[in-house]
Amino acid sequence: MVHSLELVFDDATETAIRAAWARLAGAGIAAPPLPARPHVTLVVADRIGPGVGDACAGLLTRLPLTCRIGAPVLFGRDRPVLARLVVPSAALLDLHAAIAAAAAPWLHPGPRATTAVGRWSPHVTLARRLTADQLGPALRIAGRPAELAGRLVGVRHWNGAARTAVALS
């Protein structure tokens, strides 16, 4: 299991994303199971050391950060992941680069390539492992509303092995 540093949304934005999860579930498309929380993954590694919170603490003063949740996107070909793009503003890209640099010494064996600066695609996951029959309905559901204004308010460390999340402070 992996570890990650993740941006979390304010309550209103999280509620809107959970509503999309519920609409997908109502159409028979599996959304992330509870206790999953909508988030934007910043970095992923096999393990993240305990000093990462202190290393990133000064950067958290950049939050909250407004964001726009835009178009639906698919990752992968066979049984893809459905997500919504988080429009990569200059402030969001700067925050990602700063956190990636500050966290680097605590990422073991290093960050996954998909979260590296310059290769990162900020998004919020809506459903995983879609079948070909689910693609059309899922995209119709996920694309509404066309754009969502939101706020990113915190960073957490997700430990996938222990299935725990700890807010950075």
Side-chain angles (χ1 to χ4, degrees):
M1 295 306 261
V2 299
H3 288 233
S4 56
L5 295 181
E6 303 168 344
L7 287 164
V8 294
F9 296 99
D10 68 327
D11 291 340
T13 309
E14 184 169 323
T15 297
I17 294 165
R18 287 185 181 279
W21 288 357
R23 289 190 306 273
L24 288 163
I29 300 164
L34 293 176
R37 183 172 183 191
H39 64 273
V40 178
T41 301
L42 291 164
V43 295
V44 176
D46 289 348
R47 187 174 61 80
I48 297 178
V52 75
D54 291 336
C56 294
L59 299 171
L60 302 182
T61 60
R62 298 183 186 191
L63 298 171
L65 186 64
T66 60
C67 67
R68 291 183 339 193
I69 300 170
V73 295
L74 296 171
F75 293 104
R77 289 182 275 178
D78 295 333
R79 307 289 309 255
V81 170
L82 172 67
R84 293 266 317 244
L85 174 71
V86 176
V87 178
S89 67
L92 180 58
L93 293 173
D94 288 346
L95 179 62
H96 172 254
I99 287 180
W106 287 270
L107 305 178
H108 304 287
R112 297 272 170 95
T114 56
T115 60
V117 174
R119 297 192 59 199
W120 179 60
S121 296
H123 64 277
V124 57
T125 298
L126 299 179
R128 299 181 184 279
R129 302 189 49 76
L130 293 173
T131 65
D133 292 344
Q134 292 173 323
L135 286 175
L139 288 168
R140 280 189 293 282
I141 293 167
R144 294 187 184 104
E147 186 172 283
L148 177 65
R151 289 179 4 123
L152 298 159
V153 297
V155 177
R156 70 179 188 173
H157 171 193
W158 170 253
N159 177 334
R163 302 197 58 73
T164 58
V166 176
L168 300 189
S169 55

